[in-house]
Amino acid sequence: MTVVNDEEERNTVIRWLLHVLIALSVGVVAAVVTYSVEIVEHLREVILHFFLTGMPLSVVGYTLGWLFMVLTAIALTACASAVVVFYEPAAAGGGIPDIMAYLNGVHLRRAMNLKTFLAKAASCICAVASGMPVGLEAPLIHLGGITGAGVTQGRSRTLGFQTTWLQSFRSNEDRRDFITAGAACGVSAAFGAPIGGLLFVMEEVSSFWNLVSSGQIFLATMVCFTFITIINSIVEGKSLLGWVTNSASVLFEVNVGIPLNLMSVLPSLLLGAILGGLAALFTKANLVLTRWRRENLKPFPKRRFLEPIVLTGLFTCIMYLLATFSFCRYISSPYTGYSNSIRWGTESADRLFCAMCGEDSNRYSPFGSLSLASGKNVIRHLFTRQTAGEFPLYVLVMYFVLYFVFACLCCGTSVSGGLVVPSLVIGALFGRIFGLVLFYVGSDVNRGGYYSTKYSWMDPGLFALIGAGAFLAGTSRMTMSICVIMVELSSELHYLLPVMVAIVMSKTVADWLSEPLYHHMLHMDCIPYLGPALSHPEFEQLTAADVMATPLTSLRLREKTSVVLDALRNTPHNAFPIYENKTKRGGSVHQ
């Protein structure tokens, strides 16, 4: 008895250490993927700036810039699509449905192996860096789950090796817990949200939640967040060890804090209802496109390879041309008066796109600042406070329509990319449009951009944050985790109440209008996903004997071919138990 207890205590300690190993491993993976994308994006931005400002003739520079952006977008998307179509098709999409199905008890082939990991990482880097309206956050969650399954087993079926290490942790329960921890660390690394990562896997991903593992998973998310923050601080060049800036730990930090005004709850309620309807429309459009792809593209690899290339090339071409022919505006600094007056301004010149505005460095392109920026930088622009005049209403509406359409079209293509960042962009765009209309109608703003501090709660940047959380809740159908994630990624605590109201309203409306997107995708893949509620109440009265058959059809570890063929032909079962001898069971085999 003492030996058994000692072994259990040793395994408990090792399990905690394995969760720390998962956190550090996922942190390394997230850092490599994130900074690879940023390096490629920065390189494209530098070369584009050279073409636009370094050529003697502006027409030549603009033409070369257009060719460069379109061709590099096509090349990167081709790489992203080729890896998925011709190397590992299981790496397509964001991967959250795969994690949900696996943790629901469905063993998906190649969902958690090394080939899928490598293909997903490479495809995600190329797809996001190309400017395609997809995000890397959902792939990071899938990569985190694969990492959690890989570093804790001491074996690899893909590489064909197996060690005697960690044999005690190869049960289905332990593997499921490690995958859950890896997915939670993926959320923590992607958003800088350790608490949100824990709530995400509890609310959406994990079907069988083990309360004992809650502390272990929370430790993993905290360690992963700390590790990523240290890496970000080193990359930023901080000279003092241990000092961390907000930009290193907060993904979309708001630039100005605004005290809570309870009047914001009512418009947040309306904004959440509208975005819930838009999220349902987005879901239904994606399902229609998915069915069409299965009928017309899935049997033809070349068509699946070319579809994202064509969409990305068209998206980049349209965005560049519209930025080229759009108007430029002057940069101004926000100003706060003595006590009761505020004047809006713009962000600084180094954060806005000025290369298409000639030699005047005091002007910027509103549409170019959105269309030629990455998804994360677009969100940062939209979240800024006291910048009501930075993006005119017509620019926001035009960009919203184009981005919404192309995000629908690109979702489900044969690349590794998720819907989280596109959902945040769409929600932030509509929220800023909503807030801008409310600001102009309800405040006392004059032609100089001055307005009273009592109307600061109408700031369009504030409603961009509320809208981003509401639309993400409408597409993902989560509430608690989205509330916490929005707070952690923006460091905005004052307006948690309006954010919660909008999120709950959006999910309610979306649930009323359509089924969840991830569950629909699992159903279309014929994956038997079991929801939290039984479809027929009478199923609660069933016992194990109701779903069993006698006599039991079993196979030996070394069995004749004729016996195996007879079992497959004459029984409708999907799996058969295997026995090493009369008393020792050796596992099971599936058709």
Side-chain angles (χ1 to χ4, degrees), residues 235-251:
V235 172
E236 284 186 359
K238 302 299 292 183
S239 57
L240 296 177
L241 182 63
W243 288 91
V244 178
T245 62
N246 286 348
S247 60
S249 59
V250 181
L251 188 61

Side-chain angles (χ1 to χ4, degrees), residues 258 267 341-345 384-391 393 396 431-463:
I258 299 175
S341 180
I342 300 175
R343 187 187 68 185
W344 76 52
T384 54
R385 311 283 174 82
Q386 296 183 14
T387 57
E390 182 169 301
F391 299 106
L393 187 60
L396 293 172
R432 192 167 181 100
I433 293 170
F434 182 90
L436 198 59
V437 173
L438 180 67
F439 182 76
Y440 280 123
V441 172
S443 69
D444 59 351
V445 61
N446 59 31
R447 296 195 176 199
Y450 286 92
Y451 57 96
S452 301
T453 54
K454 65 180 180 180
Y455 297 113
S456 60
W457 65 270
M458 297 182 184
D459 195 294
L462 173 62
F463 284 95

Side-chain angles (χ1 to χ4, degrees), residues 114 156-161:
L114 183 60
S156 173
R157 294 186 178 91
T158 304
L159 298 179
F161 77 88

Side-chain angles (χ1 to χ4, degrees), residues 290-323:
T290 301
R291 295 189 184 96
W292 180 84
R293 288 189 179 103
R294 292 176 185 272
E295 296 177 359
N296 299 281
L297 299 182
K298 189 174 182 178
F300 309 99
K302 291 184 179 179
R303 294 184 184 178
R304 289 190 286 123
F305 170 69
L306 291 174
E307 183 198 14
I309 297 175
V310 173
L311 289 175
T312 304
L314 185 61
F315 179 73
T316 306
C317 183
I318 292 174
M319 291 299 179
Y320 185 91
L321 292 177
L322 289 175

Side-chain angles (χ1 to χ4, degrees), residues 66 316-326 356 367 371-372:
W66 174 75
T316 306
C317 183
I318 292 174
M319 291 299 179
Y320 185 91
L321 292 177
L322 289 175
T324 301
F325 295 105
S326 63
M356 287 185 171
F367 196 90
S371 63
L372 298 179

Side-chain angles (χ1 to χ4, degrees), residues 308-374:
I309 297 175
V310 173
L311 289 175
T312 304
L314 185 61
F315 179 73
T316 306
C317 183
I318 292 174
M319 291 299 179
Y320 185 91
L321 292 177
L322 289 175
T324 301
F325 295 105
S326 63
F327 295 101
C328 291
R329 297 166 68 94
Y330 282 98
I331 298 172
S332 60
S333 299
Y335 170 78
T336 303
Y338 293 106
S339 59
N340 60 355
S341 180
I342 300 175
R343 187 187 68 185
W344 76 52
T346 63
E347 299 173 81
S348 59
D350 58 336
R351 297 189 62 180
L352 298 171
F353 189 74
C354 307
M356 287 185 171
C357 299
E359 298 180 356
D360 190 353
S361 60
N362 198 37
R363 295 199 304 162
Y364 72 101
S365 170
F367 196 90
S369 297
L370 296 176
S371 63
L372 298 179
S374 64

Side-chain angles (χ1 to χ4, degrees), residues 30 34 136-138 140-141 185-193 224 228 251 376:
T34 302
L136 58 82
E137 283 70 21
L140 280 181
I141 296 172
C185 289
V187 178
S188 177
F191 298 105
C224 185
I228 284 289
L251 188 61
K376 289 184 178 179

